[in-house]
Amino acid sequence: MDIVACIKRVPDTSETDDIKIDASGKDIEKSNLAFKLNDWDEYVLETAAQLKEKLGGSFTAISVGPKVWEEVLRRALAMGADKAIRVDEDVVSLDPGCVARILSKVIEGLRYDLILFGAQSEDFGSGQLGAMVAEMLGVPHATLVVSLETEGKVIHVCRELEAGALEAYSIELPALLTIQTGINRPRYISLGGIKRAMKAELKVISLDNLGLSLNGLTQELKLERLEFPHRGKEAVIISGLPRESAEKLAHILYSSGIF
Amino acid sequence: MNGILVVIEHRKQALAEVSLQVLSKGRQLADQAGVELLAVVIGKDALSLAEEVARWADNVLVVKSEELELPLAEPYQQVLASLIKERKPRLVLMAHSSLGIDLAPSLAVELEAPLATDCIDIRTEDGSILAVRSIYNGKVHAVYSLSSSDTVIITTRVGEFAVDESNRQGHIEEIALPFEEECEYKKFNGCVEQEAYGVDINQAEVLISVGRGIREKKNIEMAEKLAEVLGGVVSCSRPIVDCGWLPSDRQVGLSGKTVKPKLYMALGISGAFQHVVGMKGARMIVAVNKDARAPIFSIADYGIVDDIFKMVPELTNKITELKLKNSKG
C-alpha cells in the first residue's frame, strides 16, 4: 500500500502563560516558544508506519513550511517514512484553502492508495485541510477516524461522533482519512530510526516546481487582527502553601456540604 | 444581503442541541442584517422536525428521503450543493460537529466558497462578514474577514452559542432535490454506541477529574485516594483515555460524557473547550493547575495555582482529618 502522510510543526502553547501578540498584530511572538510535531500527526505517522510494516509499499511524509520544518519530517523518517517532501513556503501566512491547494498538487504527482492527515492542528485547529484535499483530488474521505482495518482495496473505518458514539464505513481505496488522537500508541523513536532518518531522502520543492504561484493562490480567509479573549468571571483563587490552601479548600468543601 | 441558511442536524427523531445553537445565532444575525433566515432539514424525519425548526427560521426547506435516516456527509453535500447554487444564501451556517467537520470543507471546495470553521463569534461590519476563531490553545482570538463571494460558509463551535427561545411560525416548504442516498465507493455500515464498562460517572456526586498534568498512569492513584475520602469517582479529560490510562467511559467532554455532579475537581486539566462543554454544568468547580493562565480558571468557582502532586495529598489528609474530627463530634 502506498501511503502519503501530511504533517505540520506547531508552537507548544499549552503551558505558556505568557503569550504576546507581535508588532504586526497578526501573529504571536514565537521566539520564546518551543516547537514540536502536531499532536494529531504523531498518530498519523504511527498509523502509516503500522500499515507499511503490515502491507509493504511506500510511506511518504509531506509538509509545507520553511527549512526548520525539516525537523518534523526527519521525525517522520525516523518513525518509518521512506521519503519526505518539504514544500518551501511560509505556511503561517496562507489560509487552509491555499495549503490544501498546494498539498493536493504535490499528492497528485505521487502514487497513493491512502492519504492521512491529523484531524486538526494544535495551533489553528481549523480541522478542514484533509477533507478539502480529498475533494480537490476527487477521492472519498472520512474525518475523525478512531479505528481502521484494511481488506484488499477496501478500508473499514470508524469515525468519532459526539458523546462516545461511532460511525462505521467501508471505503474503496484510494481514500483520505483524518486521524483522531488515541487511535494507537505512537512509538518511541529508536536509535536505528534516527540513523535512517539522517540518511534518508528529503526532497525540497518550490511552488514554482508545482506550477503554482503565490499570486495564483486565492486567500479566502484574511486574518485582520489577533485579540486576547475576555476571560469573563475568574475563579476565587485560594492562595498559600499547599498545606494552607488545602486546609482552606477542605473547609470550603465541608461548609458547602460536599462531605 | 441575501438570506442566511442554517443546516439542521438530527438524530433519533430529535433535533441536535447544536442545531438549536446555530439557529439561535442565525436568528440574531438575520435580525441584525434584516434578512431572511432559511433552514434546511434533510432525511426521513425531516417533515416531523420542521415545525420545531420553524420557531426560529422564516422558511424551513424540507428535503425528504425515505432511505436517509442519519446525517451523512455525502448525501448532505449533494443536497446542499444544489440548494446553495439555486438559492445563493449570503451565509451558510452549520455546527463544527462531527457532521460539520466531515461535510463543510468538501462542500466549500465544491462550491468554491470561503470557509471559516469552529468559529466562536460572527460579526458583520460594513456589509462584510467577520469570523472569530480561538487559536493557540484558546489563548488568542483571531478575527478573519471572508473574501467576497456569493456565499460563505461558517461552522460554529459546539456549545459556544446559547439557545434563545423563539416562537415564530415560519413557513414550511417541501422541496424535491435529486440525490443518491448511497455513495458507491463509501458504504455506511451503521452507528456504534459506546459500551459501558462499569463505573457510571454520570451517577457520581463528586468527580475528581485528571488531565495531562497527572503525567503518569501510576499518579492516578493519588486522585483515587482523594475521590475515596469524598465518596466520589475518578474521571478524566481526553489525553488520559488516548494514553490508555483510563477507559473511555471515564472521559468527560465533547466526545465523552456530559456530567453535572455536586463537585467537579479538575486536577492538571487546562480547560480546552472540548472538555469544558462536558462539565460546566457542575454545581461547584474547583481547579488545581500550575498554569495561572489556564482557561480552566475562568470556568472554576475556586482555583489553586499550584503543583497537584503537592496539593492533592495535603487535601486528602485535611479532609480525612476533618471527617474524623466531625465524627467524634
Side-chain angles (χ1 to χ4, degrees), chain A residues 225-241:
Chain A
R225 58 184 178 272
L226 296 187
E227 296 173 347
F228 282 115
H230 298 289
R231 285 176 53 109
K233 81 162 182 107
E234 288 287 328
V236 175
I237 298 295
I238 303 167
S239 53
L241 295 169

Side-chain angles (χ1 to χ4, degrees), chain A residues 13 16 123-124 126 141 143 159-160 162 166 168 170 172 181 185 220 222 224-225 227 231 235-236 238, chain B residues 98 102 117 133 136-137 139 141 143 145 147 185-187 189-190 192 238 242 255 293 297 301 303:
Chain A
T13 53
T16 317
D123 51 358
F124 286 86
S126 70
H141 74 270
T143 54
R159 62 182 297 269
E160 189 174 83
E162 285 74 21
L166 304 173
S170 299
E172 263 179 51
T181 56
R185 307 269 174 271
E220 289 177 331
K222 185 167 158 251
E224 297 290 341
R225 58 184 178 272
E227 296 173 347
R231 285 176 53 109
V236 175
I238 303 167
Chain B
S98 182
D102 220 33
T117 58
R133 306 191 63 250
Y136 294 123
N137 294 90
K139 291 182 177 159
H141 288 175
V143 183
S145 59
S147 65
Y185 36 75
K186 182 175 170 187
K187 191 172 158 285
N189 300 328
V192 188
R238 180 170 191 128
D242 285 348
S255 50
R293 300 267 317 158
F297 288 121
D301 300 295

Side-chain angles (χ1 to χ4, degrees), chain A residues 79-110:
Chain A
M79 279 178 81
D82 24 44
K83 207 169 91 181
I85 302 171
R86 178 173 69 85
V87 181
D88 188 32
E89 196 52 60
D90 181 17
V91 72
V92 177
S93 59
L94 297 172
D95 75 3
C98 293
V99 182
R101 204 50 82 184
I102 295 169
L103 286 169
S104 49
K105 202 76 188 174
V106 179
I107 297 167
E108 246 173 38
L110 302 170

Side-chain angles (χ1 to χ4, degrees), chain A residues 46-145:
Chain A
E46 181 59 35
T47 303
Q50 285 181 13
L51 285 171
K52 183 180 148 67
E53 279 160 9
K54 199 173 146 202
L55 304 165
S58 68
F59 166 11
T60 308
I62 310 176
S63 209
V64 184
K67 180 144 178 72
V68 284
W69 284 51
E70 287 181 8
E71 67 191 37
V72 297
L73 288 169
R74 291 282 170 207
R75 194 178 166 82
L77 290 163
M79 279 178 81
D82 24 44
K83 207 169 91 181
I85 302 171
R86 178 173 69 85
V87 181
D88 188 32
E89 196 52 60
D90 181 17
V91 72
V92 177
S93 59
L94 297 172
D95 75 3
C98 293
V99 182
R101 204 50 82 184
I102 295 169
L103 286 169
S104 49
K105 202 76 188 174
V106 179
I107 297 167
E108 246 173 38
L110 302 170
R111 278 174 42 166
Y112 61 86
D113 298 302
L114 188 63
I115 305 162
L116 302 175
F117 276 79
Q120 68 167 86
S121 64
E122 280 177 81
D123 51 358
F124 286 86
S126 70
Q128 70 190 81
L129 210 48
M132 284 185 123
V133 169
E135 182 75 21
M136 288 171 183
L137 292 171
V139 299
H141 74 270
T143 54
L144 301 166
V145 170

